[in-house]
Amino acid sequence: MKKVLFVIISLLSIGIQAQNQQVDKAKKLLDEVYNKMIAYNNIYIDFKYNLDNISENISQETKGNVTIAKDKYVLNYLGATKMYDGSKTYTVVPENEEVTIEKSTTDDCTITPSKMLTFYKKGYKYKWDIQQNVRGRKIQYVELKPQKANADVKQILLGIDIQTKHIYNLIEIGKNGTKTTITVNTFKTNQPLSANIFKFDREKYKKDGYTITEL
């Protein structure tokens, strides 16, 4: 009986140790990506966005681009522009001639461009996942799961190019069955940027007849 108990405890210990090693490997890789990214003055990403929900018969594909400099960003997506200047978010919708201005929030569940590199540090459990060969590139996936039981997101898979330590894609699976995938097509760093790229020109939009709403 004692021998059986010893074997069970040993197996459990090995299992826990192996699990901890997987977590440590995942954290080490995520930290390597983070440290490399924050060393850049700015990052430009051209991406493809896919949204699929089989049960709802939804399948959408579109493209966009984002310029990130530290905690600021300009995102062009679905015919609209969203800009964050470090304190406020400006959403410009040319089709409706509208601008919405929002103060910065502390919603940890929302992954914004400026949080793409840091969101894993708080509120998520993570572990080592599968590795895939994509056109000769080794893409290592790390699985992240929200620690909050009431989160809308079921899991996130972050694909990382092992050689460059750059993000290849991000797959988010919601509890409602919706799967969104962001795949990086173009990745550029330290590009020359306009001094006003993250500044909102209120007078320009007022002159053009836009409705400006502050929330």
Side-chain angles (χ1 to χ4, degrees):
M1 184 67 182
K2 288 183 179 180
K3 287 184 178 180
V4 173
L5 186 60
F6 176 76
V7 170
I8 293 173
I9 292 173
S10 297
L11 289 173
L12 287 174
S13 298
I14 291 170
I16 293 171
Q17 186 178 12
Q19 188 176 32
N20 289 339
Q21 287 175 348
Q22 295 298 306
V23 171
D24 291 342
K25 281 173 65 178
K27 184 180 186 304
K28 183 176 182 292
L29 181 58
L30 290 172
D31 286 343
E32 286 177 352
V33 173
Y34 169 74
N35 290 329
K36 185 163 187 177
M37 296 300 136
I38 62 172
Y40 297 129
N41 293 325
N42 59 69
I43 299 170
Y44 170 82
I45 298 173
D46 180 90
F47 62 86
K48 180 176 69 173
Y49 176 92
N50 292 85
L51 185 148
D52 297 285
N53 188 313
I54 297 176
S55 62
E56 298 293 334
N57 196 28
I58 297 173
S59 181
Q60 299 175 355
E61 180 178 319
T62 188
K63 294 182 178 180
N65 61 75
V66 61
T67 299
I68 307 170
K70 306 306 177 184
D71 63 336
K72 302 176 182 179
Y73 66 84
V74 176
L75 170 68
N76 297 298
Y77 169 68
L78 288 177
T81 297
K82 178 172 283 191
M83 182 184 77
Y84 179 63
D85 64 3
S87 61
K88 294 182 179 180
T89 301
Y90 306 83
T91 303
V92 182
V93 184
E95 183 179 356
N96 301 332
E97 295 188 338
E98 292 179 348
V99 177
T100 304
I101 304 174
E102 302 172 84
K103 291 183 179 179
S104 176
T105 64
T106 57
D107 185 359
D108 291 331
C109 295
T110 303
I111 303 175
T112 62
S114 58
K115 290 167 61 180
M116 275 288 290
L117 306 174
T118 60
F119 78 93
Y120 75 92
K121 290 178 175 287
K122 185 178 180 182
Y124 288 88
K125 298 181 292 184
Y126 37 84
K127 68 176 183 179
W128 200 253
D129 207 88
I130 64 170
Q131 184 178 113
Q132 292 183 340
N133 190 305
V134 181
R135 295 186 294 275
R137 300 165 63 188
K138 290 183 179 180
I139 306 300
Q140 176 63 52
Y141 283 90
V142 173
E143 181 193 57
L144 301 102
K145 288 189 175 182
Q147 292 177 331
K148 291 182 179 179
N150 61 347
D152 294 331
V153 177
K154 182 180 179 181
Q155 69 175 156
I156 294 172
L157 290 169
L158 194 62
I160 298 166
D161 187 316
I162 287 293
Q163 183 176 358
T164 64
K165 297 298 188 297
H166 290 167
I167 295 172
Y168 167 70
N169 68 353
L170 183 149
I171 303 168
E172 181 180 286
I173 301 173
K175 288 183 177 178
N176 63 355
T178 298
K179 176 183 176 182
T180 57
T181 305
I182 300 173
T183 304
V184 175
N185 294 323
T186 305
F187 189 98
K188 297 179 180 179
T189 61
N190 298 338
Q191 299 296 293
L193 301 180
S194 165
N196 298 319
I197 188 172
F198 301 115
K199 292 182 179 179
F200 176 67
D201 191 341
R202 182 184 292 267
E203 294 304 315
K204 172 186 178 299
Y205 288 104
K206 286 177 65 176
K207 184 178 179 181
D208 291 343
Y210 278 63
T211 301
I212 300 176
T213 304
E214 297 200 41
L215 302 179

